[in-house]
Amino acid sequence: MAIVITDECINCGACEPECPNTAIYEGAVDWKYSEGTSLNGNVTLLNGKIVNADEEQQPVSDEYYFIVPDKCTECKGFHEEPQCAAVCPVDCCVPDDNHVETEEELLAKQQLLHK
Ligand code: SF4
Ligand code: SF4
């Protein structure tokens, strides 16, 4: 499953540079699928959603750092454990019950993001 940042976040920014998928953004910041990935143009995600990787997307949160579920692989393919959770000083990077995925699905996502 993806990782989610809770409202206990203190906006320290420590997690953002650690993400191998550029899935973490500061609150209220627009983001793109193409940032930190090899995606460009129209892309069909594994969940069937078609997105334009170069288009700016709405922030997931306006108040706290947030994780884009479509870009989070729980660090599979890069690290043994979620790097955001490892560095977060207040332990607010937790499993996202709304985005549950198997290890195979996470690895397939990692390959899609970095093919
Ligand atoms: Fe990024 Fe890994 Fe955290 Fe997901 S678990 S947001 S891939 S650092
Ligand atoms: Fe928020 Fe934790 Fe990231 Fe700091 S490391 S910005 S507290 S989620």
Side-chain angles (χ1 to χ4, degrees), residues 54-105:
D54 304 307
E55 237 170 44
E56 293 207 322
Q57 310 289 330
Q58 297 283 314
V60 175
S61 170
D62 285 335
E63 294 178 67
Y64 307 106
Y65 275 73
F66 62 86
I67 292 171
V68 176
D70 284 341
K71 296 179 80 177
C72 175
T73 64
E74 215 182 302
C75 286
K76 296 289 183 200
F78 292 104
H79 305 288
E80 289 293 312
E81 59 176 356
Q83 297 300 288
C84 51
V87 300
C88 181
V90 294
D91 293 333
C92 70
C93 301
V94 300
D96 183 353
D97 291 333
N98 291 319
H99 295 95
V100 179
E101 295 152 300
T102 65
E103 177 154 357
E104 288 72 28
E105 288 170 327

Side-chain angles (χ1 to χ4, degrees), residues 13-20 24:
C15 54
E16 185 183 1
E18 302 300 324
C19 181
I24 303 175

